[in-house]
Amino acid sequence: MRRHLWLLASVSSCGFLLAGLPTGALAQGAAALTGVVSSTQEGNMEGVVVSAKKDGSNITVSVVSDEKGNFSFPADRLSPGKYNITIRAPGYTLAGAKEASVSAGQTAKVDLKLDHAKNLVNTLTNAEWLMSVPGSDQMKNNLLGCTSCHTYQRIFTSAHDADEFIQIFKRMGTYSPGSTPIHPQPLLPGPRGERPPMAESQMRPTAEWLASVNQSGAGNAEYDLKTLPRLKGRSTHVIMTEYDLPRPEARPHDVIVDKDGIVWYGDFAGQYAGYLDPKSGKATDIPLPVLKPEQPKGNLEIGFDPEQKYAWLALMYQAGVARIDRATKEVTMYPFPKDWQSPSTQASMVSPQHSDVDGKVWTNNQEYHDMYRLDIKTGQYENVGPSKGPDGKQISAYGMPTDWQNNVYQLEFGGTNVGLRDAKTGQTLVFRTPIPNSRPRRGRVDTQNRLWFAEYQGDAIGMFDAKKAEVKEYKLPTKWTSPYDVVPSKDAAEVWTGSMATDRVARLETNTGQIIEYQLPRTTNVRRVFLEETGPRPALWVGSNHGASIVKVEPLD
């Protein structure tokens, strides 16, 4: 008799998770709430994420248990009041609801007892699903685009047969990437609106494979569900703060922080941008005018000009870019010229970071690979056409960070190449990453004018040095990480990335090559990552693109 997935709740002998306060740090300040995490199976447990959310608040603070199972919340992070306590540990659940009352000047204590989870299906990350299901890496790579809209759980717990999956693939190709199961946004007919999420040749093999491992009964679905090991050691030296946004349907795809500490975000599925005051937790939406009512709504990239006077956004299928005055919140729209547009026009990126060099902001029409430059003074666009390497081969542009001369990099998300287009001559240098089919996605330029970028299918961080004409790569420790974006610190001593699949962020120390991962408190689907360097240590900010929240990650060492 075929067993069902929810009965196959075998847990790997290792657990996972992260970040709490190191003992030395705890000794230096008072604690508002402490306790010990334990289970019958393991005794005291390291690497369990413990979260506290005050009644009526939109802010959740999380720490991680140390090697003795101890956790501690600093007094300056929890104000007096009643808190709901939750945990995250693979294969475990909290035995009963837990609450804690925090009083001023006192340390509350609550010990947490965990039990093995009876049902792993609802707890697995996307990466853990790919670890668990039998099948080739090629078949699993065909699904990487699916996590833009939903989790793998929807796929592997479905009962579709192969023919039904093929119908689904074709239907999924008609939706905007800014869609979710509760908010689908169909594309207009055209090249972009008729593109399945994988090559035609892969559709039948992938459909048959999925039908053999889901709940359709077409194959043998008897496989154990696997979990990642809990993160330990330095991965527990962290505090995380999550801010819920006021609109539950918000999708904060890109998150950046201005020089005053205010957090700005774009909405991948709605005609909004917004800003968050971390001190109060208050988030404010900024409505954006609709340029094309018939097209999907939402924006992708958000970035500041060098003076941080304006925040700029790429408007995706609204076909243009927007500029928000940081002081007045006034919105200025720059639609693409009408004769440049088609039903598939997509302004995916905007690059104002070095616009002070020549007064030009880069953007693009991703569908047709045309590169545009907006003259800030005149408000007029220049179409400089697609970029081609010395061999005449065209290179596409997904990520488009600029260097210090306002030349534009082009990260070929659909391939293996990294290009650098000279803003003055139009010539483009093209380099391939050492990892085949790495799918470079997004990144930033450091103070040495080197590009750091994410290799989405390569599970790696890449660094391109144009002066040396070479690419260096740092393989991430967890398979199926699927990093979306990379950001270096100002001195490039640290480089950070986030995962769309593991709910982890990773920190590369470039002098040693060591990579420390941190487990986020809940399912997050990380896209853009941003490093704030105004405090004693850098802090990473990410959006929970499927969770309508913004997360701050503060390492403590």
Side-chain angles (χ1 to χ4, degrees), residues 101-159:
S101 293
V102 173
S103 302
Q106 300 181 25
T107 300
K109 190 174 190 305
V110 56
D111 292 333
L112 304 178
K113 192 73 172 179
L114 309 190
D115 287 335
H116 268 323
K118 297 179 180 179
N119 183 350
L120 287 182
V121 169
N122 294 325
T123 67
L124 295 186
T125 64
N126 289 322
E128 289 166 330
W129 276 110
L130 294 182
M131 288 166 45
S132 299
V133 296
S136 68
D137 283 0
Q138 179 180 353
M139 290 293 102
K140 296 176 183 181
N141 281 330
N142 288 338
L143 303 182
L144 290 182
C146 299
T147 53
S148 178
C149 301
H150 57 75
T151 67
Y152 292 140
Q153 178 185 343
R154 293 178 67 90
I155 301 173
F156 294 118
T157 59
S158 72

Side-chain angles (χ1 to χ4, degrees), residues 333-348:
M333 304 294 280
Y334 297 91
F336 290 165
K338 290 187 180 297
D339 58 351
W340 295 6
Q341 297 186 35
S342 75
S344 299
T345 297
Q346 180 184 349
S348 59

Side-chain angles (χ1 to χ4, degrees), residues 69-337:
N70 297 316
F71 67 88
S72 181
F73 291 85
D76 62 352
R77 299 304 177 99
L78 300 184
S79 60
K82 186 177 179 181
Y83 286 80
N84 181 51
I85 308 299
T86 57
I87 62 97
R88 190 175 192 184
Y92 284 91
T93 59
L94 184 59
K98 284 290 183 180
E99 295 179 343
S101 293
V102 173
S103 302
Q106 300 181 25
T107 300
K109 190 174 190 305
V110 56
D111 292 333
L112 304 178
K113 192 73 172 179
L114 309 190
D115 287 335
H116 268 323
K118 297 179 180 179
N119 183 350
L120 287 182
V121 169
N122 294 325
T123 67
L124 295 186
T125 64
N126 289 322
E128 289 166 330
W129 276 110
L130 294 182
M131 288 166 45
S132 299
V133 296
S136 68
D137 283 0
Q138 179 180 353
M139 290 293 102
K140 296 176 183 181
N141 281 330
N142 288 338
L143 303 182
L144 290 182
C146 299
T147 53
S148 178
C149 301
H150 57 75
T151 67
Y152 292 140
Q153 178 185 343
R154 293 178 67 90
I155 301 173
F156 294 118
T157 59
S158 72
H160 300 301
D161 62 25
D163 289 339
E164 290 171 334
F165 269 122
I166 290 177
Q167 295 178 35
I168 291 170
F169 297 158
K170 293 179 178 179
R171 187 174 74 251
M172 294 300 104
T174 68
Y175 291 138
S176 158
S179 296
T180 65
I182 62 172
H183 183 54
Q185 296 199 77
L187 295 163
L188 295 184
R192 186 70 177 177
E194 300 170 358
R195 179 178 296 170
M198 66 191 69
E200 185 77 25
S201 62
Q202 292 295 307
M203 290 176 62
R204 173 60 63 176
T206 305
E208 293 177 349
W209 166 63
L210 289 176
S212 74
V213 296
N214 73 346
Q215 295 299 293
S216 67
N220 180 10
E222 293 189 15
Y223 52 87
D224 288 345
L225 299 181
K226 301 174 183 177
T227 57
L228 288 166
R230 286 198 307 275
L231 296 173
K232 299 182 179 182
R234 291 183 64 187
S235 293
T236 68
H237 303 169
V238 69
I239 299 177
M240 294 169 284
T241 309
E242 184 170 12
Y243 302 85
D244 295 333
L245 297 178
R247 287 184 300 110
E249 70 274 17
R251 292 187 65 182
H253 189 288
D254 278 32
V255 172
I256 58 177
V257 184
D258 69 23
K259 56 189 175 184
D260 297 324
I262 300 299
V263 182
W264 291 74
Y265 56 91
D267 189 331
F268 197 39
Q271 207 61 9
Y272 296 93
Y275 57 97
L276 165 75
D277 182 350
K279 294 180 180 179
S280 66
K282 182 182 178 181
T284 304
D285 279 333
I286 301 174
L288 303 175
V290 174
L291 297 177
K292 304 181 77 171
E294 74 281 7
Q295 288 281 7
K297 313 306 184 291
N299 50 82
L300 184 59
E301 182 163 27
I302 183 171
F304 295 124
D305 60 67
E307 300 295 326
Q308 291 196 8
K309 183 176 181 180
Y310 301 108
W312 293 79
L313 295 106
L315 299 175
M316 292 291 283
Y317 294 99
Q318 292 296 299
V321 301
R323 187 184 74 178
I324 303 175
D325 187 298
R326 198 168 64 87
T328 68
K329 312 305 185 290
E330 180 182 0
V331 179
T332 304
M333 304 294 280
Y334 297 91
F336 290 165

Side-chain angles (χ1 to χ4, degrees), residues 496-530:
W496 288 76
T497 189
S499 169
M500 286 181 65
T502 64
D503 299 334
R504 294 180 177 184
V505 297
R507 166 188 167 200
L508 164 67
E509 295 181 338
T510 56
N511 61 332
T512 64
Q514 183 178 3
I515 296 176
I516 304 102
E517 293 182 294
Y518 303 95
Q519 190 70 49
L520 299 177
R522 64 186 180 110
T523 301
T524 308
N525 192 262
V526 175
R527 304 296 178 90
R528 191 93 183 271
V529 294
F530 184 90

